[in-house]
């Protein structure tokens, strides 16, 4: 048995996926919200018997290795090792083998390098006059020694080569130091210098709590105020949220997260006892970070700074969160204070009370629009509605949109019917196309999916019905044609078709197979499988009848009575076949 097969056989995909996705049992399968795209209704399923996953919304699917590769952005060898660690299987890496990854050594070196850098930065806080000045600054901001240690806050000296000297004595070559993003080189690539100089250092950890990057806040008037880390082989900003490694448990328990802008804001809220707070690593919130949040909750309170930049960031984040189906609230603190300043000046109790009563995103935006525009005039009402309507249109649920539209109309004192009509016109085309596509697809493929499930889950049923499927041509021209063909060829070899990894199947065909495997209810019996064959034949005859009716209508308008009679006889014979089959 190969090392890959050994790990695969030891892994339970339900347990592995359950570390990332909240799953619940549904029949013989498990379902949950997809971690790869935003949704409110679960369309992500795990098949414990087949040991595969599939999302019916975005189409992603595969085995346990594919899941870990997608969720953590890993190569196959990396995913293999991660799964092996989880199930307690030792992997022996051989250069050129399937377990070998040329980047493994680099990633391991970067992780070790960041660990050493974190210790260096921490040691500098208070070790020198410069470091003591940085510690005094933190003390003025209410940061205690306990908080410094808890968040591993450090300091980067201003000489510009302190970290390099610390790391140069280790086993790191020049290329690794440069790829870490912590050490830079001059134009001639001769003189090295530290990226972070004269800055408070905030370590950024991955979900396992390992430091993978640093951010630095300037002391004095140096610009930029915050220096964010570059992306490296171990750090991708869209895949991390600051403090999520510590906030994950509280976020799941409370079922909501607080989203703040800065590192200091996050530290201030968390150190006050409110653990479910994260920051977007000094950048605008990304779709990847929203997907990350979606693993833990679908409810967010946005608490950005109240200045103009913060309000703009709030609106950008709201647009993304609403499109993703999140329930969003907005905490705009009074007095123009950011979370850090507010807690220090007004106390955590007042902050917690405001947090508890944070308004919904619609109430927040509506109040802003009402204050910005003169809603006593017709023109002001139109402007206020137009300021809110784009966000309302991003709400994917039609019933919720209608309810929110009623609230908006009441607050701005506009005609609710007219507002609903405007909202409907803005979203009707997209909504109609989606529903029509889903209805047609579900009706056309019901029997085919049931038959496919029977053949995939039972060798006995496959041997009983596949010959007729192939000989009758009932699936010719349908999406499932090649899946049945590959199944037939596998049965000829006395093998089973691995739909998750079959190279001969397209992504669309794999999705169809996954749809069939995850069909609710008990697997079809032989009688039911034969009923599916009759259903496919019935639908094919119905399509032929529809074509005949069109031809008869055209022939009735032409001077060709013989042609018309021939078509009518064909219709009569086809109707007899339909009556024999009966409506399935």
């Amino acid at each position: 048995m190969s090392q890959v097969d050994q790990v695969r056989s030891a892994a339970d995909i339900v347990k592995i996926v359950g570390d990332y996705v909240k799953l619940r049992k549904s029949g013989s399968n498990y379902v949950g919200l997809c971690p790869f795209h935003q949704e409110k209704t679960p369309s992500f399923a795990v098949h414990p018997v087949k040991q595969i996953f599939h999302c019916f919304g975005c189409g992603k699917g595969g085995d346990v290795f594919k899941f870990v590769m997608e969720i953590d952005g890993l190569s196959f060898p990396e995913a293999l090792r991660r799964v092996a660690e989880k199930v307690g299987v030792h992997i022996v890496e051989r250069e050129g083998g399937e377990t070998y990854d040329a980047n493994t050594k680099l990633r391991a070196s970067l992780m070790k390098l960041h660990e050493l850098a974190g210790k260096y930065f921490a040691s500098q806080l208070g070790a020198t006059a410069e470091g003591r000045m940085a510690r005094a600054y933190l003390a003025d901001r209410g940061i205690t020694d306990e908080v410094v240690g808890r968040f591993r806050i450090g300091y980067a000296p201003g000489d510009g080569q302190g970290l390099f000297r610390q790391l140069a004595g280790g086993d790191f070559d020049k290329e690794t130091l440069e790829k870490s993003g912590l050490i830079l080189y001059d134009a001639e690539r001769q003189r090295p210098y530290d990226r972070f100089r004269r800055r408070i250092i905030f370590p950024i950890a991955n979900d396992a709590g390992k430091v993978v990057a640093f951010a630095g806040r300037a002391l004095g008037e140096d610009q930029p105020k915050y220096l964010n880390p570059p992306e490296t082989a171990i750090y991708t900003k869209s895949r991390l949220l600051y403090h999520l490694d510590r906030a994950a448990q509280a976020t799941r328990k409370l079922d909501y997260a607080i989203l703040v802008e800065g590192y200091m804001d996050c530290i201030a809220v968390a150190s006050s006892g409110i653990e479910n707070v994260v920051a977007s690593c000094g950048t605008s919130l990304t779709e990847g970070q929203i997907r990350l949040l979606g693993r833990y909750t679908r409810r967010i309170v946005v608490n950005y700074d109240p200045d103009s930049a913060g309000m703009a960031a709030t609106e950008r984040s709201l647009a993304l969160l609403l499109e993703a189906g999140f329930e969003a609230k907005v905490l705009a603190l009074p007095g123009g204070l950011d979370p850090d300043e507010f807690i220090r000046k007004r106390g955590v109790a007042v902050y917690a009370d405001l947090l508890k009563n944070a308004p919904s995103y619609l109430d927040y935006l509506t109040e802003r629009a009402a204050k910005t525009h003169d809603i006593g005039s017709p023109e002001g009402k139109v402007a206020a509605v137009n300021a809110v309507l784009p966000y309302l249109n991003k709400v994917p649920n039609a019933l919720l949109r209608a309810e929110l539209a009623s609230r908006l109309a009441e607050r701005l004192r506009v005609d609710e019917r007219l507002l609903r009509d405007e909202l409907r016109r803005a979203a009707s085309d997209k909504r109609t196309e989606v529903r029509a596509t889903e209805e047609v697809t579900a009706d056309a493929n019901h029997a085919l999916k049931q038959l496919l499930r029977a053949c995939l889950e039972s060798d006995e049923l496959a041997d009983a019905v596949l010959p007729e499927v192939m000989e009758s041509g009932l699936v010719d021209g349908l999406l499932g044609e090649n899946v049945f063909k590959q199944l037939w060829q596998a049965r000829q070899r006395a093998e089973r078709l691995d739909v998750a990894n079959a190279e001969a199947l397209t992504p669309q065909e794999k999705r169809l197979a996954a749809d069939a495997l995850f069909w609710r209810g008990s697997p079809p019996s032989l009688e039911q499988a034969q009923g599916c064959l009759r259903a496919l034949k019935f639908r094919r005859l119905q399509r032929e009848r529809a074509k005949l009716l069109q031809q008869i209508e055209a022939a009735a308008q032409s001077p060709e009575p013989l042609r018309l009679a021939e078509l009518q006889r064909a219709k009569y014979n086809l109707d007899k076949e339909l009556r024999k089959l009966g409506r399935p």
Side-chain angles (χ1 to χ4, degrees):
M1 180 184 292
S2 70
Q3 292 190 90
V4 174
D5 290 336
Q6 186 180 359
V7 175
R8 182 183 283 116
S9 63
D12 177 3
I13 193 171
V14 175
K15 187 177 185 303
I16 299 294
V17 173
D19 290 339
Y20 300 86
V21 181
K22 188 183 296 184
L23 297 173
R24 62 176 175 82
K25 206 166 190 310
S26 178
S28 59
N29 302 316
Y30 291 82
V31 299
L33 294 172
C34 180
F36 304 117
H37 81 287
Q38 305 304 325
E39 60 181 5
K40 294 192 72 174
T41 303
S43 62
F44 179 88
V46 179
H47 198 299
V49 177
K50 294 287 184 179
Q51 287 288 296
I52 61 174
F53 74 95
H54 182 77
C55 176
F56 300 96
C58 67
K60 287 187 182 295
D63 60 10
V64 65
F65 302 125
K66 183 67 172 178
F67 177 83
V68 175
M69 288 169 66
E70 292 283 353
I71 198 77
D72 287 329
L74 304 177
S75 65
F76 175 78
E78 289 175 313
L80 174 66
R81 276 189 294 279
R82 183 157 298 184
V83 175
E85 289 172 1
K86 289 177 180 288
V87 300
V89 175
H90 177 66
I91 292 293
V92 179
E93 185 173 314
R94 299 181 181 89
E95 187 169 352
E98 59 185 346
T99 64
Y100 179 73
D101 181 9
N103 291 322
T104 299
K105 184 176 180 181
L106 171 62
R107 290 188 177 91
S109 295
L110 292 183
M111 294 295 289
K112 182 179 179 182
L113 190 152
H114 277 74
E115 180 184 358
L116 294 174
K119 292 178 179 179
Y120 168 77
F121 289 137
S123 70
Q124 294 302 301
L125 194 62
T128 64
E130 188 179 353
R132 287 189 289 274
M133 181 179 67
R135 183 65 190 90
Y137 166 81
L138 290 172
D140 288 342
R141 298 287 295 265
I143 304 298
T144 65
D145 289 341
E146 186 273 332
V147 173
V148 168
R150 176 181 167 192
F151 289 90
R152 295 177 279 187
I153 301 173
Y155 179 70
D159 68 359
Q161 286 198 318
L163 178 61
F164 172 76
R165 286 193 297 268
Q166 182 74 17
L167 298 174
D171 298 327
F172 308 109
D173 55 31
K174 181 177 180 180
E175 183 180 7
T176 301
L177 291 174
E178 191 168 15
K179 287 183 176 180
S180 73
L182 296 174
I183 305 299
L184 306 177
Y185 287 85
D186 59 16
E188 290 74 28
R189 294 181 53 78
Q190 296 298 319
R191 180 180 177 276
Y193 59 95
D194 300 346
R195 173 181 291 273
F196 297 106
R197 304 177 298 280
R198 199 168 176 264
R199 289 178 180 270
I200 303 289
I201 297 297
F202 302 97
I204 300 172
N206 60 16
D207 56 0
K210 301 294 186 181
V211 175
V212 293
F214 299 94
R217 188 197 189 284
L219 285 180
E221 301 302 319
D222 292 351
Q223 293 298 321
K225 180 178 178 181
Y226 279 97
L227 183 60
N228 294 310
E231 294 199 347
T232 67
I234 60 172
Y235 171 69
T236 303
K237 63 182 178 182
S238 64
R239 291 181 176 272
L240 284 180
L241 286 161
Y242 181 69
H243 192 246
L244 184 59
D245 58 313
R246 295 177 177 272
Q249 184 176 353
T251 298
R252 273 187 170 147
K253 180 179 178 180
L254 299 172
D255 194 22
Y256 81 97
I258 306 161
L259 180 64
V260 298
E261 274 189 280
Y263 305 98
M264 288 296 293
D265 289 334
C266 190
I267 291 171
V269 175
S271 61
S272 71
I274 302 174
E275 284 285 344
N276 56 322
V277 58
V278 296
S280 53
C281 293
T283 61
S284 297
L285 189 67
T286 67
E287 292 182 1
Q289 289 170 330
I290 290 176
R291 286 194 293 272
L292 188 59
L293 279 171
R295 298 184 194 175
Y296 306 94
T297 185
R298 310 294 295 182
R299 301 168 63 218
I300 304 295
V301 178
V302 180
N303 184 200
Y304 284 169
D305 293 353
D307 56 19
S308 57
M311 288 189 290
T314 297
E315 293 179 2
R316 285 194 302 271
S317 298
L318 284 175
L320 291 173
L321 289 167
L322 295 174
E323 285 181 334
F326 276 65
E327 177 187 326
K329 294 184 177 182
V330 180
L331 176 55
L333 296 171
L337 301 176
D338 60 32
D340 176 31
E341 294 172 315
F342 188 90
I343 289 175
R344 283 189 283 117
K345 292 182 179 180
R346 304 284 297 275
V348 65
V350 180
Y351 179 86
D353 185 61
L354 291 172
L355 178 65
K356 180 180 178 181
N357 297 292
S360 72
Y361 85 93
L362 182 71
D363 292 335
Y364 165 78
L365 292 172
T366 302
E367 287 305 313
R368 278 198 61 199
K371 292 177 181 178
T372 305
H373 305 283
D374 178 15
I375 60 173
S377 68
E379 295 80 8
K381 288 183 179 181
V382 171
V385 169
N386 286 338
V388 180
L389 203 56
Y391 299 92
L392 194 57
N393 284 340
K394 293 181 184 296
V395 177
N397 186 283
L399 292 177
L400 180 58
R401 274 201 313 272
E403 181 182 341
L404 294 175
S406 297
R407 289 168 54 185
L408 177 62
E410 180 181 359
R411 174 64 182 88
L412 298 180
R413 299 193 295 277
V414 298
D415 187 282
E416 182 179 334
R417 180 181 57 83
L418 293 176
L419 182 60
R420 283 176 179 265
D421 289 344
E422 182 63 28
L423 181 61
R424 189 177 299 111
R425 280 193 293 270
S428 62
D429 289 342
K430 181 180 179 181
R431 185 169 65 240
T432 301
E433 290 174 0
V434 169
R435 287 180 179 171
T437 300
E438 289 176 348
E439 291 170 1
V440 170
T441 302
D443 183 63
N445 289 339
H446 180 92
L448 184 142
K449 289 178 182 177
Q450 283 284 61
L451 185 62
L452 189 54
R453 180 185 180 186
C455 294
L456 285 169
E457 295 203 347
S458 169
D459 294 343
E460 182 180 350
L461 290 180
D463 291 337
V465 300
L466 271 176
E468 185 175 350
V469 172
M470 303 308 297
E471 292 170 9
S472 65
L474 288 175
V475 297
D476 290 355
L478 300 180
L479 175 59
E481 179 183 0
N482 185 44
V483 185
F484 280 104
K485 179 182 176 182
Q486 297 302 320
L487 265 171
W488 173 251
Q489 293 177 356
R491 294 310 304 152
Q492 297 293 98
R493 301 189 300 268
E495 297 175 356
R496 303 194 75 178
L497 179 65
D498 182 0
V499 293
N501 298 303
E503 295 181 357
L505 298 181
T506 66
Q508 293 83 0
E509 290 165 344
K510 289 180 180 179
R511 178 171 181 170
L512 176 67
D515 286 344
L517 281 170
F518 286 99
W519 198 279
R520 290 184 177 180
S522 302
S525 63
L526 176 60
E527 182 179 355
Q528 290 170 326
Q530 291 171 337
C532 291
L533 283 172
R534 291 194 298 273
L536 287 174
K537 187 173 182 180
F538 187 90
R539 287 185 172 86
R540 185 176 69 177
L541 293 176
Q542 279 186 318
R543 289 193 294 269
E544 293 176 4
R545 187 177 187 274
K547 291 180 181 178
L548 275 175
L549 288 175
Q550 292 178 346
Q551 293 171 348
I552 288 172
E553 182 178 355
Q557 306 299 321
S558 67
E560 295 183 25
L562 293 177
R563 171 63 175 164
L564 178 60
E566 178 183 353
L567 291 171
Q568 288 174 333
R569 281 194 300 273
K571 176 182 175 294
Y572 174 79
N573 292 331
L574 197 148
D575 285 341
K576 284 176 62 177
E577 288 189 61
L578 283 168
R579 284 193 294 271
K580 288 180 182 178
L581 286 172
R583 182 171 293 275

